Amino acid sequence: MRSIINNYIGGQFRPASSDRTAPLHNPATEEQIGTVRLSNTDDVDAAVAAAKAVWPSFAATPQDERIAMLRRLSSALADSEPELIAAMRAEYGAPIHFTTFSVRHAGSVFLDMARTVADYPWRQSIGRAQVEMRPLGVAAAITPWNSSIGFICAKLAAAVAAGSPIVIKPSELSAIQTEVLAQALHKAGLPAGVLNIVNGDGAVAGAALAAHPDVAKVSFTGSTATGRAILRAGAQTMKRVTLELGGKGAQIILDDADLDRVAGMVLANGFMNSGQACIAGTRILVSRRRQEDFEQKLVAALGAFPVGPATDPDAGIGPMVNRRQWDRVQSYIALGQAEGARVLAGGAGRPEGMERGWFVSPTLFTDVHHDMRIAREEIFGPVLCIIAYEDDAEAIRIANDTTYGLQNYVFGGDEDRNRRVAQQLESGRIAVNGAAHEPMAPFGGFKQSGIGREFGAYGLTAFLEPRVVLS
Ligand code: NAD
């Protein structure tokens, strides 16, 4: 049993002052493996004060020094890769391909940000005005559990690049990963107060940080409901806010797509991170003429996504993060059946032969109407909806008929047609025919999937203010 009591404030590991704790579990065994002490508002105040104290000197740090810090942060992550992966496997339970990708990606965001700083237009003239991009003050980050290390590192990278000290409140469900990460990042030797990490829950520590008068900017990743609360809390002091929220991505399979090639990719997009991904493509839109054929190919491709614990090297889909999330996913499976959708594969309960662990049977619903709640609400588990359409126009209309707009997908045999369809989709990103992630491109959502963008120059700009001097 691991007992996590420390926050990381002003360059030191310090016990949280509250005695409230939350349990930590291994989701593959349901065993309790630790506890985390939940900070109170005094701890949040201490972290913000440490950040505020270093703010004037950090804001004046030359660009080369900030680039060097970003490089040291990346090396620190690389040096702790085995420990980070082990923590993620024990506490989150994700399959090995995801944990390895996730930790390496977290290290690479610092290097991407270092490149961004080097190429960024920090100063420009507009007529007689000199415009200079300035850091905007103490930043705060509030992050979720589904890729905790990656989200923390992305937000820290942008803050260091900008010259803003940051206070981070990670998810209380990821405290073991947070502790191992904090120990790794400490070795990068940032000036004291530039990075502060406070363990705690949303209702106390998160809310205090989101409303803190000395915080100038909040970068949040999490649910749309919490995003609304953070926006409201920030309004009092006009905080700059970046919100990366939920999604209900569509995968449009055009009728000229190579179904054999596409089926596996479509499942991979739907089941990514065991279905606990904001960018998952959870609505599969297929031409009615090819529906039956495609359904058979999807069912056949399911064999490539075995469910299992992180200790199983062949596992493609891991457990849900906790009991609550498992119950939530199960309730949506029951709801889909009650709404009249047909279970093509999977269904309620654990996969056959599994007695313990918060594992879900990868579930495909078909004959789904886009008005059903399973097609409109974010389930956040390996549960996908197949929706038939008549023509491209209807596919586009269904894809856009959602309050979300984070990431959509298009598969088809004709490049011009694929692009025409992509250009009509209302989302921050559209991936065509399995195109790879571009780390320097802006990431974020249209509509209720968020406000603002992360990564690359757009992500850096979100941590800056333009100051104009007229002379
Ligand atoms: P959540 O909103 O419940 O929690 C996220 C974080 O906010 C946690 O650290 C939590 O403690 C904190 N929090 C909760 N209430 C708060 C409050 N009132 N004030 C301040 N902080 C508060 O989300 P979750 O369940 O941890 O994560 C899953 C959600 O995150 C899903 O909806 C998913 O789509 C979304 N997500 C979005 C992205 C993206 O980039 N768009 C990426 C991953 C996850």
Side-chain angles (χ1 to χ4, degrees), residues 142-146 151 169-172 200-203 205-207 210 220-224 226-227 229-230 244-247 277-278 325 378 380 406 443 449 454:
I142 300 177
T143 55
W145 42 262
N146 61 332
F151 293 127
K169 195 216 75 69
S171 171
E172 57 277 33
D201 59 12
F220 171 73
T221 299
S223 63
T224 299
T226 306
I230 284 173
E244 298 290 357
L245 309 175
C278 51
Q325 190 65 20
E378 191 181 43
F380 230 54
L406 191 56
F443 179 91
S449 283
E454 291 194 283

Side-chain angles (χ1 to χ4, degrees), residues 89-113:
R89 292 173 75 184
E91 185 179 47
Y92 184 55
I96 189 72
H97 67 85
F98 184 75
T99 47
T100 308
F101 156 80
S102 198
V103 170
R104 292 199 179 146
H105 165 74
S108 70
V109 296
F110 293 114
L111 299 180
D112 293 337
M113 223 2 125

Side-chain angles (χ1 to χ4, degrees), residues 58 60-72 160 191:
F58 192 52
T61 308
Q63 182 175 321
D64 287 356
E65 280 182 35
R66 299 202 309 279
I67 290 175
M69 287 178 201
L70 289 164
R71 294 205 176 116
R72 292 204 304 275
V160 169

Side-chain angles (χ1 to χ4, degrees), residues 8-43:
Y8 182 69
I9 297 178
Q12 292 176 335
F13 290 93
R14 291 198 221 162
S17 52
S18 127
D19 51 14
R20 279 191 313 135
T21 60
L24 300 163
H25 293 95
N26 177 330
T29 61
E30 303 180 27
E31 254 176 282
Q32 186 175 343
I33 53 172
T35 58
V36 55
R37 199 180 276 188
L38 301 173
S39 300
N40 61 23
T41 52
D42 290 345
D43 301 308

